Amino acid sequence: MLLLLALGTAWAQSGRRLPTEKPKEPKESDETAVTLETTEVIVPVTVRDRYGHLIRGLSRYDFTLYEDGVRQEITDFAVGTVPVNVVLLIDVSGSVATEINDIRLAALAFLRALGPKDRVAIIRFNHKVEEVLDWETDKQRLQRALFQLPAVGNTAFYKALYVAANKLKTVEGRRAILLFTDGVDTYDGPDQKTFEEAVEAVRRAEVIVYVISKTKAIRAFLKGERSPFIFRPLDPNDVYVRLYLQVLDQAEEQLIELAEKTGGRIYFPLDQSELRDAYAQIAEELSTQYILRYVPKNTARDGRFRRIRVMTGNPAYIAIAREGYYAPNQ
């Protein structure tokens, strides 16, 4: 019934930051130091084969990197040693009421797989966007915060994504958002954001977005292919069901675009087992990313967006990175 109520409301509606202090010289023994020169760009890269398997064991000499079509010199290289800052951005609107416990358990497994220096913040959203916990490394405090996730209300998805991006923009190191949602924004408040505004904020913050999408599971339920309830499935020919399926298709396209543009990945779990696997795969990817750094040959401080392309010497491998960054404008 909560899902039916949610359906009825749906129709109404750069990682590079200039340091403030003079950069310190990194110690040779400190492999996790994140000390960037003012002109240096950091690019986390995931490498997979054509079957989606993660590729390990590459060196800096296996990569070539281009900015706006001009090859750049890779000045530094690391593998998963730079701590990551992750915002868990979790949809707690009424449409997830029956799944909120599964969400908590899967997210908890993800947290346990992170490194000791990786930091996590938790933001929940329905018709409001609320920070449940600020940056934290303590697994026990994070676990307690996960259980402060009620499920009720509409969905201010775009606003939540905008808020999470701006929170990450102020931190150094790798930045990621782990997003759980169906992507359907039903919020119409005075401070609402558009999808374009939210994506622009993510690009400026140079954040990788991993999406755990509910669209496939909801679509299967609406079409009568599966139902988590004891009641009979909805009629897939009902006019409101067909309208919502159109809204869901559009939301799914936006979520795919968001993941691809930021160098992330999207998952479509149908049950708790697949949900748990999705979180585990994201944790594994973050721990095996290649961290490339370079000083751009283009020294103009024009504030323009510059496109990045990363390749490996093996044509069977696919290097995945964010699409670019904004140059400083002063």
Side-chain angles (χ1 to χ4, degrees), residues 27-84:
K27 297 179 181 179
E28 291 184 2
S29 60
D30 187 2
E31 294 183 355
T32 63
V34 187
T35 304
L36 302 181
E37 298 296 329
T38 56
T39 55
E40 199 170 45
V41 178
I42 179 172
V43 185
V45 181
T46 299
V47 181
R48 296 180 180 273
D49 63 19
R50 64 187 64 185
Y51 303 105
H53 302 135
L54 288 169
I55 301 299
R56 298 174 174 81
L58 301 182
S59 73
R60 78 165 69 188
Y61 305 106
D62 292 304
F63 293 91
T64 52
L65 189 152
Y66 298 85
E67 178 182 292
D68 287 341
V70 178
R71 185 168 178 173
Q72 309 291 313
E73 180 183 353
I74 298 171
T75 57
D76 197 13
F77 176 86
V79 183
T81 56
V82 178
V84 63

Tab-separated table of all heavy atoms in Angstrom, residues 27-84:
chain	number	residue	atom	x	y	z
A	27	LYS	N	56.302	12.646	2.937
A	27	LYS	CA	57.356	11.774	3.405
A	27	LYS	C	57.393	10.526	2.543
A	27	LYS	O	56.377	9.998	2.152
A	27	LYS	CB	57.091	11.378	4.867
A	27	LYS	CG	57.099	12.573	5.818
A	27	LYS	CD	56.812	12.111	7.247
A	27	LYS	CE	56.784	13.293	8.205
A	27	LYS	NZ	56.486	12.857	9.582
A	28	GLU	N	58.625	10.033	2.284
A	28	GLU	CA	58.761	8.866	1.414
A	28	GLU	C	58.040	7.662	1.992
A	28	GLU	O	57.550	6.812	1.269
A	28	GLU	CB	60.238	8.538	1.212
A	28	GLU	CG	60.968	9.595	0.372
A	28	GLU	CD	62.403	9.178	0.126
A	28	GLU	OE1	62.787	8.076	0.571
A	28	GLU	OE2	63.138	9.939	-0.501
A	29	SER	N	57.951	7.589	3.334
A	29	SER	CA	57.346	6.420	3.951
A	29	SER	C	55.834	6.487	4.025
A	29	SER	O	55.172	5.509	4.334
A	29	SER	CB	57.894	6.251	5.374
A	29	SER	OG	57.583	7.406	6.145
A	30	ASP	N	55.267	7.660	3.736
A	30	ASP	CA	53.817	7.819	3.864
A	30	ASP	C	53.149	7.625	2.518
A	30	ASP	O	52.988	8.545	1.748
A	30	ASP	CB	53.494	9.207	4.420
A	30	ASP	CG	52.016	9.348	4.736
A	30	ASP	OD1	51.296	8.354	4.547
A	30	ASP	OD2	51.596	10.439	5.160
A	31	GLU	N	52.726	6.383	2.228
A	31	GLU	CA	52.158	6.071	0.924
A	31	GLU	C	50.759	6.616	0.760
A	31	GLU	O	50.255	6.732	-0.347
A	31	GLU	CB	52.131	4.551	0.717
A	31	GLU	CG	53.533	3.942	0.627
A	31	GLU	CD	53.460	2.454	0.361
A	31	GLU	OE1	52.342	1.915	0.346
A	31	GLU	OE2	54.516	1.839	0.169
A	32	THR	N	50.083	6.967	1.876
A	32	THR	CA	48.701	7.411	1.776
A	32	THR	C	48.563	8.918	1.839
A	32	THR	O	47.470	9.441	1.917
A	32	THR	CB	47.869	6.796	2.913
A	32	THR	OG1	48.364	7.275	4.172
A	32	THR	CG2	47.914	5.287	2.869
A	33	ALA	N	49.672	9.643	1.825
A	33	ALA	CA	49.581	11.103	1.886
A	33	ALA	C	48.874	11.626	0.656
A	33	ALA	O	49.073	11.161	-0.451
A	33	ALA	CB	50.980	11.705	1.989
A	34	VAL	N	48.015	12.626	0.847
A	34	VAL	CA	47.289	13.231	-0.259
A	34	VAL	C	47.697	14.693	-0.326
A	34	VAL	O	46.986	15.573	0.130
A	34	VAL	CB	45.767	13.105	-0.070
A	34	VAL	CG1	45.038	13.588	-1.311
A	34	VAL	CG2	45.391	11.684	0.236
A	35	THR	N	48.891	14.975	-0.817
A	35	THR	CA	49.403	16.323	-0.893
A	35	THR	C	49.540	16.703	-2.352
A	35	THR	O	50.417	16.221	-3.049
A	35	THR	CB	50.784	16.418	-0.192
A	35	THR	OG1	50.652	15.952	1.148
A	35	THR	CG2	51.283	17.857	-0.180
A	36	LEU	N	48.657	17.546	-2.839
A	36	LEU	CA	48.625	17.888	-4.249
A	36	LEU	C	49.200	19.277	-4.487
A	36	LEU	O	48.955	20.200	-3.719
A	36	LEU	CB	47.174	17.861	-4.754
A	36	LEU	CG	46.435	16.538	-4.585
A	36	LEU	CD1	45.040	16.700	-5.158
A	36	LEU	CD2	47.171	15.430	-5.252
A	37	GLU	N	49.970	19.431	-5.532
A	37	GLU	CA	50.388	20.753	-5.961
A	37	GLU	C	49.165	21.473	-6.510
A	37	GLU	O	48.181	20.868	-6.898
A	37	GLU	CB	51.463	20.621	-7.043
A	37	GLU	CG	52.740	19.920	-6.577
A	37	GLU	CD	53.475	20.672	-5.489
A	37	GLU	OE1	53.407	21.913	-5.486
A	37	GLU	OE2	54.091	20.024	-4.628
A	38	THR	N	49.235	22.801	-6.564
A	38	THR	CA	48.064	23.579	-6.963
A	38	THR	C	47.644	23.275	-8.397
A	38	THR	O	46.503	23.508	-8.765
A	38	THR	CB	48.354	25.080	-6.841
A	38	THR	OG1	49.515	25.404	-7.617
A	38	THR	CG2	48.605	25.455	-5.391
A	39	THR	N	48.568	22.776	-9.225
A	39	THR	CA	48.229	22.520	-10.619
A	39	THR	C	48.032	21.039	-10.915
A	39	THR	O	47.903	20.656	-12.068
A	39	THR	CB	49.353	23.063	-11.533
A	39	THR	OG1	50.601	22.482	-11.139
A	39	THR	CG2	49.445	24.572	-11.439
A	40	GLU	N	48.012	20.221	-9.898
A	40	GLU	CA	47.957	18.776	-10.112
A	40	GLU	C	46.517	18.280	-10.109
A	40	GLU	O	45.679	18.747	-9.350
A	40	GLU	CB	48.757	18.073	-9.011
A	40	GLU	CG	49.164	16.659	-9.358
A	40	GLU	CD	50.148	16.095	-8.337
A	40	GLU	OE1	49.911	16.274	-7.127
A	40	GLU	OE2	51.131	15.492	-8.742
A	41	VAL	N	46.242	17.306	-10.978
A	41	VAL	CA	44.919	16.706	-11.077
A	41	VAL	C	45.025	15.240	-10.667
A	41	VAL	O	45.949	14.531	-11.098
A	41	VAL	CB	44.367	16.814	-12.516
A	41	VAL	CG1	43.000	16.147	-12.619
A	41	VAL	CG2	44.272	18.271	-12.941
A	42	ILE	N	44.089	14.787	-9.843
A	42	ILE	CA	44.061	13.394	-9.421
A	42	ILE	C	42.920	12.682	-10.133
A	42	ILE	O	41.802	13.202	-10.198
A	42	ILE	CB	43.921	13.277	-7.891
A	42	ILE	CG1	43.865	11.801	-7.460
A	42	ILE	CG2	42.691	14.015	-7.389
A	42	ILE	CD1	43.926	11.607	-5.947
A	43	VAL	N	43.204	11.510	-10.706
A	43	VAL	CA	42.217	10.773	-11.489
A	43	VAL	C	42.158	9.314	-11.013
A	43	VAL	O	43.023	8.515	-11.356
A	43	VAL	CB	42.546	10.805	-13.000
A	43	VAL	CG1	41.418	10.138	-13.799
A	43	VAL	CG2	42.782	12.225	-13.484
A	44	PRO	N	41.160	8.952	-10.214
A	44	PRO	CA	40.973	7.533	-9.872
A	44	PRO	C	40.479	6.766	-11.107
A	44	PRO	O	39.579	7.225	-11.816
A	44	PRO	CB	39.901	7.568	-8.773
A	44	PRO	CG	39.872	8.981	-8.291
A	44	PRO	CD	40.223	9.818	-9.486
A	45	VAL	N	41.052	5.602	-11.348
A	45	VAL	CA	40.716	4.823	-12.542
A	45	VAL	C	40.440	3.376	-12.146
A	45	VAL	O	41.211	2.761	-11.403
A	45	VAL	CB	41.870	4.850	-13.578
A	45	VAL	CG1	41.495	4.055	-14.822
A	45	VAL	CG2	42.228	6.282	-13.946
A	46	THR	N	39.346	2.845	-12.664
A	46	THR	CA	39.025	1.429	-12.512
A	46	THR	C	39.248	0.749	-13.852
A	46	THR	O	38.842	1.269	-14.890
A	46	THR	CB	37.569	1.242	-12.077
A	46	THR	OG1	37.365	1.890	-10.817
A	46	THR	CG2	37.221	-0.237	-11.944
A	47	VAL	N	39.889	-0.406	-13.841
A	47	VAL	CA	40.137	-1.145	-15.087
A	47	VAL	C	39.435	-2.493	-15.014
A	47	VAL	O	39.596	-3.243	-14.048
A	47	VAL	CB	41.653	-1.340	-15.331
A	47	VAL	CG1	41.882	-2.094	-16.645
A	47	VAL	CG2	42.372	0.009	-15.353
A	48	ARG	N	38.637	-2.766	-16.047
A	48	ARG	CA	37.924	-4.040	-16.145
A	48	ARG	C	38.183	-4.664	-17.513
A	48	ARG	O	38.530	-3.968	-18.475
A	48	ARG	CB	36.419	-3.834	-15.953
A	48	ARG	CG	36.035	-3.330	-14.570
A	48	ARG	CD	34.531	-3.151	-14.436
A	48	ARG	NE	34.156	-2.674	-13.106
A	48	ARG	CZ	33.928	-3.457	-12.070
A	48	ARG	NH1	33.998	-4.781	-12.214
A	48	ARG	NH2	33.611	-2.950	-10.890
A	49	ASP	N	37.982	-5.970	-17.595
A	49	ASP	CA	38.042	-6.613	-18.906
A	49	ASP	C	36.651	-6.566	-19.532
A	49	ASP	O	35.704	-6.007	-18.949
A	49	ASP	CB	38.575	-8.047	-18.811
A	49	ASP	CG	37.687	-8.973	-17.990
A	49	ASP	OD1	36.488	-8.650	-17.790
A	49	ASP	OD2	38.176	-10.023	-17.542
A	50	ARG	N	36.505	-7.147	-20.710
A	50	ARG	CA	35.238	-7.048	-21.430
A	50	ARG	C	34.108	-7.815	-20.746
A	50	ARG	O	32.938	-7.636	-21.078
A	50	ARG	CB	35.418	-7.556	-22.861
A	50	ARG	CG	35.772	-9.019	-22.973
A	50	ARG	CD	36.095	-9.376	-24.413
A	50	ARG	NE	37.271	-8.673	-24.890
A	50	ARG	CZ	37.712	-8.736	-26.145
A	50	ARG	NH1	37.051	-9.440	-27.040
A	50	ARG	NH2	38.802	-8.074	-26.510
A	51	TYR	N	34.472	-8.643	-19.764
A	51	TYR	CA	33.455	-9.389	-19.033
A	51	TYR	C	33.106	-8.714	-17.698
A	51	TYR	O	32.314	-9.242	-16.920
A	51	TYR	CB	33.933	-10.820	-18.778
A	51	TYR	CG	34.282	-11.552	-20.053
A	51	TYR	CD1	35.609	-11.770	-20.410
A	51	TYR	CD2	33.279	-12.007	-20.914
A	51	TYR	CE1	35.933	-12.434	-21.590
A	51	TYR	CE2	33.592	-12.667	-22.088
A	51	TYR	CZ	34.919	-12.873	-22.427
A	51	TYR	OH	35.243	-13.517	-23.602
A	52	GLY	N	33.727	-7.566	-17.429
A	52	GLY	CA	33.431	-6.832	-16.214
A	52	GLY	C	34.310	-7.171	-15.028
A	52	GLY	O	34.116	-6.640	-13.939
A	53	HIS	N	35.306	-8.034	-15.206
A	53	HIS	CA	36.178	-8.417	-14.101
A	53	HIS	C	37.213	-7.318	-13.846
A	53	HIS	O	37.780	-6.751	-14.789
A	53	HIS	CB	36.906	-9.736	-14.410
A	53	HIS	CG	35.970	-10.871	-14.686
A	53	HIS	ND1	36.148	-11.753	-15.726
A	53	HIS	CD2	34.833	-11.257	-14.060
A	53	HIS	CE1	35.166	-12.639	-15.734
A	53	HIS	NE2	34.352	-12.356	-14.733
A	54	LEU	N	37.486	-7.043	-12.569
A	54	LEU	CA	38.496	-6.056	-12.209
A	54	LEU	C	39.888	-6.560	-12.591
A	54	LEU	O	40.205	-7.737	-12.424
A	54	LEU	CB	38.454	-5.773	-10.703
A	54	LEU	CG	37.257	-4.965	-10.201
A	54	LEU	CD1	37.212	-4.988	-8.677
A	54	LEU	CD2	37.331	-3.529	-10.703
A	55	ILE	N	40.705	-5.651	-13.103
A	55	ILE	CA	42.075	-5.976	-13.509
A	55	ILE	C	43.046	-5.382	-12.494
A	55	ILE	O	43.043	-4.177	-12.259
A	55	ILE	CB	42.389	-5.439	-14.919
A	55	ILE	CG1	41.411	-6.025	-15.931
A	55	ILE	CG2	43.836	-5.757	-15.293
A	55	ILE	CD1	41.446	-7.532	-16.049
A	56	ARG	N	43.875	-6.228	-11.930
A	56	ARG	CA	44.876	-5.790	-10.968
A	56	ARG	C	46.274	-5.931	-11.560
A	56	ARG	O	46.465	-6.530	-12.607
A	56	ARG	CB	44.781	-6.615	-9.681
A	56	ARG	CG	43.447	-6.488	-8.952
A	56	ARG	CD	43.400	-7.454	-7.776
A	56	ARG	NE	42.213	-7.282	-6.950
A	56	ARG	CZ	41.026	-7.764	-7.221
A	56	ARG	NH1	40.838	-8.465	-8.331
A	56	ARG	NH2	40.009	-7.570	-6.407
A	57	GLY	N	47.255	-5.384	-10.865
A	57	GLY	CA	48.658	-5.614	-11.224
A	57	GLY	C	49.227	-4.720	-12.301
A	57	GLY	O	50.327	-4.987	-12.791
A	58	LEU	N	48.517	-3.654	-12.693
A	58	LEU	CA	49.051	-2.750	-13.711
A	58	LEU	C	49.984	-1.716	-13.078
A	58	LEU	O	49.885	-1.419	-11.878
A	58	LEU	CB	47.909	-2.041	-14.450
A	58	LEU	CG	46.892	-2.929	-15.166
A	58	LEU	CD1	45.851	-2.075	-15.892
A	58	LEU	CD2	47.568	-3.882	-16.135
A	59	SER	N	50.859	-1.153	-13.887
A	59	SER	CA	51.764	-0.095	-13.434
A	59	SER	C	51.443	1.192	-14.176
A	59	SER	O	50.611	1.206	-15.096
A	59	SER	CB	53.222	-0.494	-13.694
A	59	SER	OG	53.513	-0.405	-15.089
A	60	ARG	N	52.107	2.268	-13.806
A	60	ARG	CA	51.848	3.549	-14.480
A	60	ARG	C	52.170	3.479	-15.967
A	60	ARG	O	51.588	4.201	-16.769
A	60	ARG	CB	52.660	4.663	-13.824
A	60	ARG	CG	54.130	4.699	-14.201
A	60	ARG	CD	54.766	6.021	-13.823
A	60	ARG	NE	54.868	6.168	-12.376
A	60	ARG	CZ	55.242	7.297	-11.790
A	60	ARG	NH1	55.534	8.349	-12.524
A	60	ARG	NH2	55.354	7.367	-10.479
A	61	TYR	N	53.076	2.596	-16.339
A	61	TYR	CA	53.489	2.500	-17.743
A	61	TYR	C	52.459	1.774	-18.596
A	61	TYR	O	52.580	1.741	-19.833
A	61	TYR	CB	54.855	1.810	-17.826
A	61	TYR	CG	55.885	2.501	-16.971
A	61	TYR	CD1	56.310	1.933	-15.767
A	61	TYR	CD2	56.400	3.742	-17.333
A	61	TYR	CE1	57.236	2.576	-14.962
A	61	TYR	CE2	57.338	4.390	-16.529
A	61	TYR	CZ	57.741	3.809	-15.341
A	61	TYR	OH	58.642	4.464	-14.541
A	62	ASP	N	51.441	1.217	-17.966
A	62	ASP	CA	50.349	0.591	-18.707
A	62	ASP	C	49.263	1.589	-19.095
A	62	ASP	O	48.316	1.244	-19.809
A	62	ASP	CB	49.714	-0.530	-17.866
A	62	ASP	CG	50.652	-1.702	-17.660
A	62	ASP	OD1	51.125	-2.255	-18.673
A	62	ASP	OD2	50.923	-2.050	-16.500
A	63	PHE	N	49.373	2.843	-18.620
A	63	PHE	CA	48.335	3.837	-18.847
A	63	PHE	C	48.820	4.979	-19.727
A	63	PHE	O	49.988	5.381	-19.665
A	63	PHE	CB	47.866	4.438	-17.513
A	63	PHE	CG	47.149	3.474	-16.618
A	63	PHE	CD1	47.843	2.720	-15.670
A	63	PHE	CD2	45.775	3.309	-16.710
A	63	PHE	CE1	47.182	1.833	-14.850
A	63	PHE	CE2	45.103	2.419	-15.889
A	63	PHE	CZ	45.814	1.675	-14.953
A	64	THR	N	47.911	5.485	-20.547
A	64	THR	CA	48.116	6.771	-21.211
A	64	THR	C	46.906	7.633	-20.878
A	64	THR	O	45.779	7.138	-20.780
A	64	THR	CB	48.243	6.626	-22.738
A	64	THR	OG1	47.127	5.878	-23.239
A	64	THR	CG2	49.529	5.937	-23.115
A	65	LEU	N	47.158	8.925	-20.687
A	65	LEU	CA	46.110	9.833	-20.237
A	65	LEU	C	46.092	11.067	-21.126
A	65	LEU	O	47.133	11.644	-21.420
A	65	LEU	CB	46.367	10.214	-18.775
A	65	LEU	CG	45.285	10.987	-18.030
A	65	LEU	CD1	45.350	10.701	-16.530
A	65	LEU	CD2	45.402	12.491	-18.256
A	66	TYR	N	44.897	11.449	-21.545
A	66	TYR	CA	44.733	12.609	-22.424
A	66	TYR	C	43.799	13.625	-21.788
A	66	TYR	O	42.816	13.268	-21.139
A	66	TYR	CB	44.146	12.183	-23.767
A	66	TYR	CG	45.013	11.224	-24.552
A	66	TYR	CD1	44.947	9.853	-24.324
A	66	TYR	CD2	45.909	11.701	-25.512
A	66	TYR	CE1	45.743	8.972	-25.041
A	66	TYR	CE2	46.709	10.819	-26.237
A	66	TYR	CZ	46.625	9.461	-25.990
A	66	TYR	OH	47.413	8.597	-26.700
A	67	GLU	N	44.132	14.894	-21.974
A	67	GLU	CA	43.243	15.981	-21.575
A	67	GLU	C	42.915	16.789	-22.822
A	67	GLU	O	43.816	17.331	-23.469
A	67	GLU	CB	43.907	16.885	-20.529
A	67	GLU	CG	43.022	18.055	-20.119
A	67	GLU	CD	43.703	18.969	-19.115
A	67	GLU	OE1	43.923	18.528	-17.967
A	67	GLU	OE2	44.023	20.123	-19.473
A	68	ASP	N	41.646	16.850	-23.168
A	68	ASP	CA	41.197	17.525	-24.391
A	68	ASP	C	42.003	17.067	-25.611
A	68	ASP	O	42.366	17.863	-26.482
A	68	ASP	CB	41.290	19.045	-24.236
A	68	ASP	CG	40.218	19.600	-23.313
A	68	ASP	OD1	39.202	18.896	-23.093
A	68	ASP	OD2	40.377	20.727	-22.820
A	69	GLY	N	42.294	15.758	-25.668
A	69	GLY	CA	42.999	15.183	-26.805
A	69	GLY	C	44.507	15.300	-26.765
A	69	GLY	O	45.184	14.762	-27.651
A	70	VAL	N	45.064	15.969	-25.750
A	70	VAL	CA	46.515	16.148	-25.646
A	70	VAL	C	47.055	15.197	-24.582
A	70	VAL	O	46.589	15.196	-23.433
A	70	VAL	CB	46.867	17.602	-25.258
A	70	VAL	CG1	48.384	17.756	-25.092
A	70	VAL	CG2	46.338	18.568	-26.299
A	71	ARG	N	48.040	14.403	-24.973
A	71	ARG	CA	48.596	13.431	-24.030
A	71	ARG	C	49.306	14.141	-22.879
A	71	ARG	O	50.046	15.111	-23.089
A	71	ARG	CB	49.551	12.482	-24.743
A	71	ARG	CG	50.083	11.370	-23.847
A	71	ARG	CD	50.779	10.287	-24.629
A	71	ARG	NE	51.317	9.248	-23.754
A	71	ARG	CZ	51.855	8.124	-24.179
A	71	ARG	NH1	51.926	7.863	-25.485
A	71	ARG	NH2	52.316	7.230	-23.321
A	72	GLN	N	49.100	13.633	-21.673
A	72	GLN	CA	49.689	14.211	-20.478
A	72	GLN	C	50.693	13.239	-19.864
A	72	GLN	O	50.605	12.021	-20.060
A	72	GLN	CB	48.605	14.522	-19.443
A	72	GLN	CG	47.445	15.336	-19.972
A	72	GLN	CD	47.822	16.765	-20.309
A	72	GLN	OE1	48.481	17.441	-19.522
A	72	GLN	NE2	47.384	17.238	-21.480
A	73	GLU	N	51.624	13.783	-19.102
A	73	GLU	CA	52.605	12.949	-18.406
A	73	GLU	C	52.080	12.596	-17.020
A	73	GLU	O	51.726	13.479	-16.231
A	73	GLU	CB	53.934	13.685	-18.264
A	73	GLU	CG	54.992	12.866	-17.537
A	73	GLU	CD	56.291	13.623	-17.326
A	73	GLU	OE1	56.416	14.745	-17.864
A	73	GLU	OE2	57.176	13.091	-16.612
A	74	ILE	N	52.012	11.306	-16.722
A	74	ILE	CA	51.574	10.849	-15.409
A	74	ILE	C	52.713	11.061	-14.425
A	74	ILE	O	53.789	10.484	-14.564
A	74	ILE	CB	51.151	9.375	-15.454
A	74	ILE	CG1	49.956	9.196	-16.403
A	74	ILE	CG2	50.796	8.870	-14.058
A	74	ILE	CD1	49.597	7.747	-16.676
A	75	THR	N	52.492	11.920	-13.429
A	75	THR	CA	53.556	12.294	-12.497
A	75	THR	C	53.582	11.441	-11.241
A	75	THR	O	54.601	11.385	-10.553
A	75	THR	CB	53.414	13.770	-12.096
A	75	THR	OG1	52.107	13.975	-11.524
A	75	THR	CG2	53.576	14.680	-13.301
A	76	ASP	N	52.467	10.801	-10.914
A	76	ASP	CA	52.428	9.967	-9.713
A	76	ASP	C	51.401	8.867	-9.919
A	76	ASP	O	50.458	9.011	-10.696
A	76	ASP	CB	52.073	10.812	-8.486
A	76	ASP	CG	52.425	10.097	-7.190
A	76	ASP	OD1	53.149	9.081	-7.254
A	76	ASP	OD2	51.976	10.541	-6.115
A	77	PHE	N	51.589	7.771	-9.204
A	77	PHE	CA	50.783	6.581	-9.420
A	77	PHE	C	50.668	5.820	-8.106
A	77	PHE	O	51.643	5.672	-7.370
A	77	PHE	CB	51.449	5.705	-10.488
A	77	PHE	CG	50.756	4.387	-10.752
A	77	PHE	CD1	49.718	4.310	-11.665
A	77	PHE	CD2	51.168	3.237	-10.093
A	77	PHE	CE1	49.087	3.100	-11.916
A	77	PHE	CE2	50.550	2.015	-10.338
A	77	PHE	CZ	49.507	1.954	-11.259
A	78	ALA	N	49.472	5.354	-7.786
A	78	ALA	CA	49.261	4.541	-6.593
A	78	ALA	C	48.105	3.587	-6.875
A	78	ALA	O	47.342	3.774	-7.826
A	78	ALA	CB	48.956	5.418	-5.372
A	79	VAL	N	47.982	2.575	-6.035
A	79	VAL	CA	46.905	1.594	-6.190
A	79	VAL	C	46.136	1.488	-4.882
A	79	VAL	O	46.617	0.884	-3.926
A	79	VAL	CB	47.440	0.202	-6.590
A	79	VAL	CG1	46.276	-0.764	-6.806
A	79	VAL	CG2	48.301	0.299	-7.833
A	80	GLY	N	44.959	2.119	-4.839
A	80	GLY	CA	44.058	1.968	-3.704
A	80	GLY	C	44.590	2.439	-2.372
A	80	GLY	O	44.002	2.132	-1.330
A	81	THR	N	45.719	3.175	-2.350
A	81	THR	CA	46.307	3.568	-1.066
A	81	THR	C	45.821	4.931	-0.594
A	81	THR	O	46.015	5.271	0.566
A	81	THR	CB	47.842	3.605	-1.170
A	81	THR	OG1	48.221	4.491	-2.238
A	81	THR	CG2	48.400	2.226	-1.436
A	82	VAL	N	45.198	5.705	-1.453
A	82	VAL	CA	44.688	7.011	-1.060
A	82	VAL	C	43.333	6.824	-0.387
A	82	VAL	O	42.412	6.271	-0.997
A	82	VAL	CB	44.559	7.947	-2.284
A	82	VAL	CG1	43.973	9.294	-1.883
A	82	VAL	CG2	45.920	8.138	-2.951
A	83	PRO	N	43.174	7.249	0.860
A	83	PRO	CA	41.885	7.057	1.536
A	83	PRO	C	40.739	7.678	0.742
A	83	PRO	O	40.905	8.676	0.043
A	83	PRO	CB	42.086	7.788	2.875
A	83	PRO	CG	43.563	7.763	3.096
A	83	PRO	CD	44.182	7.884	1.731
A	84	VAL	N	39.561	7.082	0.878
A	84	VAL	CA	38.402	7.556	0.130
A	84	VAL	C	37.383	8.141	1.100
A	84	VAL	O	37.204	7.663	2.218
A	84	VAL	CB	37.775	6.407	-0.698
A	84	VAL	CG1	37.249	5.307	0.199
A	84	VAL	CG2	36.684	6.934	-1.603
